[in-house]
Amino acid sequence: MKILAIHNFHRKGSASGDDQVYKSETALLESHGNHVIRYTVSNDEFDNAGTFGKIAATFGMMWSFKNYKAVQQIIRKERPDIVHIHTFFPLLSPSILYAAKRCGVPVVATLHDTRFVCPCSTSLRVTQLCNECGDGHYFRMCKYACFKGSRLQSFLVAGIFKYHRIRKSFYKQIDQYICLNENQIKLLTDIGFDKKKIIKKYNFVPDTEANLKAVKINGLPERYVIFYGRIGEEKGIRILMQIWDDPRMSKIQLVVMGSGLLEDEFRSWAGKKDNVYFLGYTQHEKCLGIVKGGEFVIFPSIWYEGCSMVEIETESLGKALIATDLGFSIEAIENGVNGYKVPLGDVNGFVNIITELWEKPEMCKKLGENARADYEEKYLPEDNYQKLMEVYEKLK
């Protein structure tokens, strides 16, 4: 099968899950003999553009003639069976949906976030969950400066999504939506998306357990708990800090790996803690090796995780998860089996479970074994490939 796979990459150095999924999924398709044509842009293009280029790119977020034309040219030349779109915002714009449909090619879209409900994609108003803009009244974003803390940028983004809401771009120009969890499906159907066009498919990660060994790093303790991922508000970094500020956590060692907007603040805080080891950005394989040597992973996210690559990787490594009872984690974790779920923002709840598990290494081991079994049941590449091909075949 011939697939045109389209994606708007985040900035260079970003560890965004949708970038990782795009790379791994297109590689998986090729490994099974499919012909994958890639069309991608990167947000670095905006950063590196001059003043005129930035202005043009900003207006292009509503309708990019450049990318519309490029996608149509590729389709006419390559004649793909399917166009599979991952992330289109900001640079590709919804124009690429029209380019594909007007060429008569079925369009599949993987929804990595809640962008069709919340134009900011996070469903967060500062640190509180918010899906109010699902009603289409996007200009309330201006009042709260939802987009990057800027009322002007919020106005521009609200205008873009209002225009495409009126045109029903996201309702009519996509033939199949791939959602990553039940929460996403409910959010979409609540605002009028056709449930018959929605299918749930989890992400996958390669079997890291098969060959990976635990990595011992000089200066790290013998036993430790791990957090790894983006050092950002939405990932619950401030919740993590509050957890380890609790006096009961003084003897529990925490290793943190990642980078992000709150990195400097977190580094300053960690520098005052004898039991917190902040490694910053860590090369992926080395990072997973350090995770493999830990007791369990804590994941105090405050937003709707689609199908967290961190959580799937953690399970593949045979490690338990202690995560917020939200989004993907609701269905990924069974309390007392492969980890534990804690209500959103419940610092005391996290502390209670972490301290209990820390004192029970055998329980940690059993939870990790169950996590590994859960990975093998749900998140193997081959199973994911079969599910993806079922989606494609249905539309051909």
Side-chain angles (χ1 to χ4, degrees):
M1 188 177 290
K2 186 179 284 190
I3 303 107
L4 172 56
I6 302 177
H7 182 56
N8 190 141
F9 279 100
H10 296 261
R11 288 168 174 82
K12 185 178 180 181
S14 169
S16 296
D18 52 347
D19 291 353
Q20 187 177 343
V21 171
Y22 177 80
K23 291 175 183 177
S24 59
E25 200 167 90
T26 51
L28 179 68
L29 287 166
E30 287 180 326
S31 73
H32 285 79
N34 297 286
H35 182 191
V36 178
I37 306 117
R38 294 170 174 82
Y39 182 72
T40 65
V41 297
S42 169
N43 288 342
D44 290 330
E45 295 175 21
F46 181 87
D47 295 340
N48 296 330
T51 302
F52 178 78
K54 282 185 168 66
I55 294 172
T58 300
F59 283 103
M61 292 175 189
M62 178 175 287
W63 186 278
S64 173
F65 289 98
K66 172 186 173 182
N67 289 301
Y68 175 87
K69 182 178 180 181
V71 168
Q72 284 208 327
Q73 287 177 339
I74 292 171
I75 292 173
R76 288 166 181 159
K77 178 183 177 182
E78 300 288 349
R79 299 189 179 278
D81 300 297
I82 295 287
V83 172
H84 189 157
I85 296 168
H86 287 258
T87 299
F88 64 84
F89 193 80
L91 300 183
L92 288 168
S93 87
S95 69
I96 62 170
L97 304 174
Y98 288 86
K101 287 293 287 181
R102 289 171 180 174
C103 287
V105 184
V107 177
V108 176
T110 295
L111 309 187
H112 294 279
D113 48 41
T114 58
R115 179 85 66 187
F116 291 170
V117 181
C118 166
C120 299
S121 82
T122 61
S123 287
L124 285 176
R125 183 184 291 168
V126 189
T127 61
Q128 300 298 312
L129 286 174
C130 174
N131 292 300
E132 289 187 25
C133 284
D135 63 7
H137 297 300
Y138 301 118
F139 287 102
R140 66 164 60 87
M141 293 171 58
C142 304
K143 176 181 178 181
Y144 300 104
C146 292
F147 194 81
K148 298 186 177 180
S150 165
R151 286 186 170 85
L152 175 59
Q153 291 187 67
S154 296
F155 178 80
L156 293 172
V157 171
I160 291 168
F161 277 80
K162 188 66 176 180
Y163 170 77
H164 286 287
R165 179 82 169 221
I166 293 170
R167 295 195 66 175
K168 293 188 177 296
S169 299
F170 308 131
Y171 292 82
K172 293 183 176 181
Q173 304 302 315
I174 298 170
D175 299 292
Q176 185 78 63
Y177 309 95
I178 296 178
C179 285
L180 305 178
N181 60 60
E182 293 294 339
N183 179 69
Q184 274 189 331
I185 294 173
K186 184 179 186 307
L187 288 173
L188 288 182
T189 54
D190 283 352
I191 61 171
F193 280 78
D194 185 354
K195 192 170 185 178
K196 291 182 289 187
K197 293 170 63 175
I198 300 172
I199 189 170
K200 184 174 77 172
K201 182 184 76 65
Y202 293 133
N203 293 330
F204 73 94
V205 295
D207 189 357
T208 51
E209 168 73 10
N211 301 307
L212 192 68
K213 295 181 180 180
V215 173
K216 295 295 182 182
I217 303 293
N218 290 335
L220 291 189
E222 189 67 25
R223 294 183 68 214
Y224 51 85
V225 176
I226 312 103
F227 172 94
Y228 74 106
R230 189 158 59 249
I231 310 299
E233 188 84 66
E234 73 283 1
K235 295 297 183 179
I237 287 298
R238 290 203 168 94
I239 298 292
L240 184 70
M241 293 160 70
Q242 291 176 46
I243 294 168
W244 256 264
D245 278 336
D246 190 295
R248 290 171 288 173
M249 303 295 288
S250 61
K251 302 298 182 183
I252 299 178
Q253 315 299 312
L254 173 68
V255 172
V256 176
M257 295 173 282
S259 61
L261 293 177
L262 297 184
E263 186 173 348
D264 291 341
E265 179 182 338
F266 185 80
R267 180 178 283 106
S268 176
W269 172 85
K272 302 171 186 175
K273 297 284 185 181
D274 293 336
N275 60 332
V276 177
Y277 303 80
F278 181 45
L279 307 184
Y281 170 77
T282 306
Q283 190 271 337
H284 191 240
E285 187 171 342
K286 180 181 178 181
C287 173
L288 295 184
I290 294 171
V291 174
K292 185 72 178 290
E295 296 295 311
F296 51 87
V297 169
I298 179 172
F299 197 69
S301 179
I302 65 170
W303 71 342
Y304 298 122
E305 297 287 341
C307 183
S308 167
M309 304 301 280
V310 165
E311 292 183 86
I312 300 174
E313 284 175 343
T314 295
E315 290 212 319
S316 76
L317 294 165
K319 297 297 172 182
L321 284 156
I322 315 301
T324 305
D325 190 11
L326 187 68
F328 172 64
S329 298
I330 293 175
E331 58 200 83
I333 299 173
E334 185 177 352
N335 282 331
V337 178
N338 60 337
Y340 286 93
K341 293 174 284 191
V342 179
L344 176 63
D346 184 359
V347 173
N348 190 59
F350 273 108
V351 171
N352 288 338
I353 291 175
I354 293 167
T355 52
E356 179 182 358
L357 282 184
W358 184 258
E359 298 299 328
K360 298 178 179 178
E362 288 304 313
M363 181 184 287
C364 292
K365 182 178 178 183
K366 181 60 179 175
L367 292 172
E369 291 171 352
N370 292 339
R372 172 65 191 182
D374 190 58
Y375 163 77
E376 292 176 352
E377 181 181 344
K378 298 177 182 176
Y379 311 117
L380 289 172
E382 290 306 309
D383 296 337
N384 198 282
Y385 175 73
Q386 293 302 322
K387 188 87 170 180
L388 189 56
M389 294 309 292
E390 287 173 15
V391 173
Y392 291 167
E393 292 291 348
K394 175 183 173 183
L395 295 176
K396 279 183 63 180

